[in-house]
Amino acid sequence: TSLVPRDIPYLNETEVKATNLIEAKKIEHSNNKNPLPNNTISLTGEVEKGILKNFKSFLKKNNPLQLSTSKENETWFLLFDFGKVINGMPKLTIEGAKNTEIHILEAPFVVDEKFTHKIVASEFDDQLTLSGNKDTWQAMYFKPTRYLAIAVKGNKETVKIHSIGIHKIAYPFELKGSISTPEAPWIENLWNASVKTIDVCTTDAYTDNYRERRQYAQTGYYAALGNYFTYGDTALQRKYLIQVAQEQQANGLMPAYAPLTGDDYMIILDSNCLWIRSLYNYLLYSGDYETVKELLPAAEKLMTLLNSYTNALGMLDSPPFSYWLDHALNDRRGANLTLNGHYLGALDDFSKVLEWLNKNEESVVVENKVAVLRKSLGLLWDEEKQLFADAYIDGKRSNQFSEHANAMALDCKIATPEQAELVAKQLLTKDNHNFIKRANGMTMVTPAMSYFLHKGLSEYGYEEASLELLNERFSKMLDPATNGTLWEEWWRNGTGRTGKFQERTRSDAQTESAFPPALFSQYLLGVEVTKPGMKEIIISKPNTILKQVSGKIPTPNGILSIDWNFTKNTQLTLKIPTNTILKINAESFEENDKSSFFINDKKVDVMNKTSKYILLEEGNQQLKLKE
């Protein structure tokens, strides 16, 4: 309960005035507590003539916006649109008769032209009673607001609105990374949507969405996948790692989110695994050895605990705590493949962290566990279905199949090349589905687990098909009628987590969906970071049909610029930051290209090199393949 020095940047605070009035009319109510009938109002674009005339004066001359008297069963409803979601405290200066009832209603989005302040189990409704004098009010807690409404019930005298707007708070992100794909603008759009999603969900921490505002451990993992390649911020990731570790129990268990708000020590085992994976990524992209060394005892304690939940095959089997995976059904009996995929990834990442910290013996021990588990998970291959089953229960495979399990089998390199081909064929089949089940009965991933689906497919050479699938599933989130942010589920007005569609508002901004920049950086720009602090980077020729791909990637030492041109002969133009070792992976090029490498117009004999890499120094460099 003691104060500690702030270790992240201060938030930016600004005033944003409401200027775009999109609805203004009187509606009837039944004198109940709710400002809107059934908490919903259909939007027609109607702005009452008297209000419209008065509103122009309000904007140009700063005169008060006046609401004429209304009947006892009438409510004035005015709705403003900020054009994008703003985090902040709605504020109002208003004047009216004493005891006049005012409601300030907020919503981050509107579905099917129907406004409601009840969003994802939240009720964005601030209620105030006028004093009879000029009142100035500001909300006590910030809300995610694109649409800001004021409802005035049964005012017996004219109400004057002197000002209305939002006291905006925002994390001081600085956008550094970018991508350009002229032939496929949807890629740039999805990159930018990731940027907007991270921005709108973040204030003092990466949070899961604008409903719970919890700093979930798995959320930090996915959010950073977008952040490292766009904003290049590491302060938020450091804070998240430390705060989750501060809540660690004596046996090594970590909570699903931190800081805790009470006695609800929520446990999600995959969150624990993803905390380890976040620790690895943090060291890789920041180079902050000091913090990672401080957190190492917590990581070791956690990994020891997880190991105690494994069976003779090295699998997490019927663990004593729950796990999430994503918002979809999965067979959670016995040893679940997806959970074990998270665990396998944590083991693999932890072994690398130990190696980077010069704990080589401990690293080898963990690597051996990786090998055992990867082999054991191969037991979940079902020859008849030619898919990996969801779980391994008492020596038998589950009869349930999901994209989750098969995504993990690919991403974790559990599948043989032959199995991967069979799995990819089914995953990439164009079939009729409802975003819950595939035609063949496979459960579909929701947006969060989509990262592993697309990464797994790409790892086995299906980059183009994976991108096509990504576009197919996520494109509706970028419709002009949306906020252009990435959703929590495949709908904003329903969920499929029970296996059937259920009507329920869901978040349209979720940082667990903001992973695309990590995929694009690796599989379109060809970037692979291999040493802490991004001090070593490998560039491989991307497997793409695009003729031009360029981008900028932030690193602790500066911006790495990459420009691929495949219009005739391959050409790669780079601007390499200082103190960075950059390697060109010659093996990623076709065999007949290797005799025609030119670096800054000087031929390089790749065929006779013992290493498959060409080392490039900092500064401007150009690689060409000449005939």
Side-chain angles (χ1 to χ4, degrees):
T1 56
S2 60
L3 295 174
V4 297
R6 184 176 178 88
D7 56 358
I8 62 172
Y10 286 100
L11 302 181
N12 292 329
E13 300 187 48
T14 53
E15 304 297 330
V16 182
K17 186 176 180 179
T19 59
N20 184 24
L21 182 64
I22 63 170
E23 196 96 10
K25 59 189 177 184
K26 289 180 181 179
I27 56 175
E28 291 188 357
H29 66 79
S30 56
N31 288 319
N32 56 21
K33 293 182 179 179
N34 296 324
L36 302 178
N38 301 316
N39 301 304
T40 303
I41 183 170
S42 294
L43 301 180
T44 60
E46 177 187 350
V47 178
E48 197 263 354
K49 289 184 179 179
I51 294 290
L52 181 60
K53 182 179 179 180
N54 191 221
F55 185 63
K56 291 178 181 178
S57 178
F58 171 76
L59 291 179
K60 292 182 178 179
K61 299 181 180 180
N62 215 26
N63 292 328
L65 177 60
Q66 299 188 41
L67 305 181
S68 60
T69 59
S70 60
K71 297 177 183 177
E72 189 174 341
N73 68 333
E74 288 182 331
T75 294
W76 270 110
F77 176 81
L78 278 66
L79 182 64
F80 299 87
D81 179 7
F82 290 95
K84 63 179 181 179
V85 177
I86 296 173
N87 289 314
M89 287 73 75
K91 59 186 303 182
L92 176 69
T93 300
I94 191 168
E95 186 178 359
K98 186 176 181 179
N99 295 326
T100 302
E101 183 180 335
I102 307 292
H103 289 260
I104 302 296
L105 313 171
E106 303 91 10
F109 60 83
V110 166
V111 178
D112 297 331
E113 298 301 316
K114 292 180 180 179
F115 173 86
T116 178
H117 61 281
K118 286 182 173 288
I119 300 289
V120 204
S122 299
E123 190 159 349
F124 298 125
D125 177 8
D126 287 294
Q127 303 172 31
L128 44 149
T129 304
L130 299 188
S131 69
N133 300 312
K134 183 187 286 188
D135 296 311
T136 297
W137 166 88
Q138 180 173 295
M140 299 294 290
Y141 183 76
F142 74 89
K143 283 109 175 153
T145 304
R146 172 173 174 175
Y147 298 95
L148 176 65
I150 180 170
V152 181
K153 299 182 71 172
N155 56 306
K156 297 178 182 178
E157 297 180 13
T158 298
V159 169
K160 298 178 180 179
I161 301 173
H162 293 276
S163 67
I164 183 169
I166 295 177
H167 182 79
K168 178 182 177 181
I169 58 173
Y171 188 83
F173 281 123
E174 180 186 351
L175 187 59
K176 300 173 182 176
S178 63
I179 195 168
S180 175
T181 51
E183 302 156 85
W186 72 266
I187 292 171
E188 296 179 41
N189 293 340
L190 197 50
W191 177 289
N192 293 332
S194 302
V195 169
K196 290 178 67 174
T197 303
I198 294 168
D199 181 50
V200 79
C201 290
T202 305
T203 48
D204 274 324
Y206 297 130
T207 55
D208 63 317
N209 57 37
Y210 44 53
R211 171 177 60 107
E212 294 169 290
R213 287 290 186 185
R214 283 175 170 169
Q215 185 176 235
Y216 277 103
Q218 82 275 356
T219 297
Y221 174 78
Y222 291 113
L225 289 174
N227 190 322
Y228 287 135
F229 297 97
T230 56
Y231 294 118
D233 177 89
T234 58
L236 291 170
Q237 193 72 346
R238 178 181 181 275
K239 179 187 175 186
Y240 136 69
L241 288 164
I242 290 172
Q243 289 189 320
V244 173
Q246 286 172 338
E247 305 280 8
Q248 186 176 37
Q249 293 186 345
N251 66 354
L253 196 66
M254 290 187 181
Y257 76 92
L260 298 180
T261 59
D263 59 359
D264 60 331
Y265 199 97
M266 184 189 295
I267 298 167
I268 300 177
L269 285 183
D270 38 326
S271 290
N272 280 244
C273 295
L274 289 172
W275 184 90
I276 294 290
R277 303 207 70 179
S278 291
L279 185 70
Y280 163 81
N281 279 344
Y282 175 70
L283 182 55
L284 184 64
Y285 293 106
S286 75
D288 181 4
Y289 281 91
E290 182 179 351
T291 297
V292 174
K293 286 177 181 177
E294 291 175 0
L295 292 171
L296 186 62
E300 291 173 329
K301 191 183 291 186
L302 172 58
M303 294 305 287
T304 299
L305 177 72
L306 293 176
N307 182 66
S308 72
Y309 298 154
T310 60
N311 59 22
L313 295 169
M315 301 178 187
L316 293 175
D317 194 343
S318 303
F321 298 106
S322 61
Y323 47 96
W324 174 62
L325 309 182
D326 74 353
H327 296 301
L329 287 176
N330 213 272
D331 192 343
R332 286 172 164 79
R333 297 173 296 163
N336 177 274
L337 195 157
T338 305
L339 175 63
N340 275 281
H342 284 307
Y343 178 49
L344 177 58
L347 285 169
D348 200 17
D349 286 351
F350 188 53
S351 71
K352 293 185 179 72
V353 170
L354 291 170
E355 181 183 340
W356 289 336
L357 297 181
N358 296 318
K359 293 181 174 288
N360 295 318
E361 290 185 10
E362 294 96 323
S363 176
V364 170
V365 171
V366 178
E367 283 180 9
N368 290 335
K369 291 178 181 178
V370 170
V372 169
L373 180 55
R374 181 173 282 121
K375 181 179 180 182
S376 295
L377 291 174
L379 294 170
L380 280 86
W381 175 253
D382 189 297
E383 191 62 42
E384 182 181 347
K385 288 281 189 180
Q386 296 189 332
L387 290 169
F388 286 88
D390 271 4
Y392 198 64
I393 310 134
D394 297 329
K396 295 182 180 179
R397 283 186 296 274
S398 166
N399 61 357
Q400 297 179 41
F401 299 86
S402 66
E403 290 184 344
H404 307 67
N406 288 278
M408 279 301 191
L410 297 180
D411 179 63
C412 296
K413 302 293 180 66
I414 297 163
T416 65
E418 295 75 21
Q419 290 170 341
E421 184 177 356
L422 295 168
V423 167
K425 182 179 180 181
Q426 295 198 53
L427 289 176
L428 296 170
T429 296
K430 296 185 183 299
D431 60 355
N432 293 320
H433 62 75
N434 58 359
F435 282 97
I436 299 171
K437 287 271 189 183
R438 299 287 297 267
N440 64 1
M442 263 196 300
T443 300
M444 294 181 65
V445 295
T446 65
M449 272 295 297
S450 295
Y451 170 68
F452 293 99
L453 173 66
H454 296 289
K455 189 170 186 299
L457 286 165
S458 298
E459 284 295 298
Y460 280 85
Y462 298 94
E463 296 96 320
E464 280 296 327
S466 174
L467 287 177
E468 184 181 341
L469 182 63
L470 183 71
N471 185 24
E472 176 191 313
R473 294 189 178 183
F474 279 80
S475 60
K476 64 179 182 179
M477 301 184 190
L478 307 184
D479 186 272
T482 70
N483 284 325
T485 49
L486 303 176
W487 305 350
E488 184 172 15
E489 296 190 50
W490 298 119
W491 314 268
R492 293 177 298 168
N493 62 342
T495 177
R497 63 180 65 187
T498 64
K500 295 181 179 180
F501 179 83
Q502 290 180 302
E503 191 77 25
R504 180 183 174 189
T505 53
R506 304 302 300 158
S507 172
D508 83 332
Q510 170 61 276
T511 41
E512 287 157 8
S513 306
F515 58 80
L519 291 177
F520 297 154
S521 295
Q522 183 170 358
Y523 300 109
L524 284 176
L525 292 174
V527 173
E528 180 186 1
V529 181
T530 52
K531 290 289 177 65
M534 303 183 76
K535 288 186 177 297
E536 181 181 276
I537 298 173
I538 295 174
I539 301 285
S540 299
K541 182 183 178 182
N543 181 17
T544 179
I545 59 172
L546 299 178
K547 297 300 182 185
Q548 287 183 296
V549 184
S550 62
K552 294 181 178 180
I553 303 296
T555 81
N557 293 314
I559 302 295
L560 169 63
S561 296
I562 304 158
D563 187 349
W564 288 97
N565 191 321
F566 305 108
T567 51
K568 189 177 180 183
N569 296 323
T570 298
Q571 181 173 306
L572 171 61
T573 304
L574 297 164
K575 187 174 182 180
I576 305 169
T578 59
N579 300 317
T580 302
I581 298 172
L582 193 135
K583 299 179 177 180
I584 301 294
N585 180 9
E587 284 192 352
S588 65
F589 293 79
E590 290 80 6
E591 192 63 36
N592 60 346
D593 288 336
K594 294 182 182 180
S595 60
S596 55
F597 273 75
F598 286 78
I599 303 294
N600 298 332
D601 292 324
K602 292 183 179 179
K603 188 171 183 179
V604 178
D605 191 356
V606 179
M607 302 298 287
N608 296 328
K609 280 185 172 289
T610 56
S611 171
K612 66 178 182 180
Y613 298 115
I614 302 170
L615 268 62
L616 297 183
E617 298 177 350
E618 63 186 60
N620 297 320
Q621 302 283 352
Q622 190 176 69
L623 178 150
K624 290 182 181 179
L625 298 184
K626 297 184 179 180
E627 295 178 356

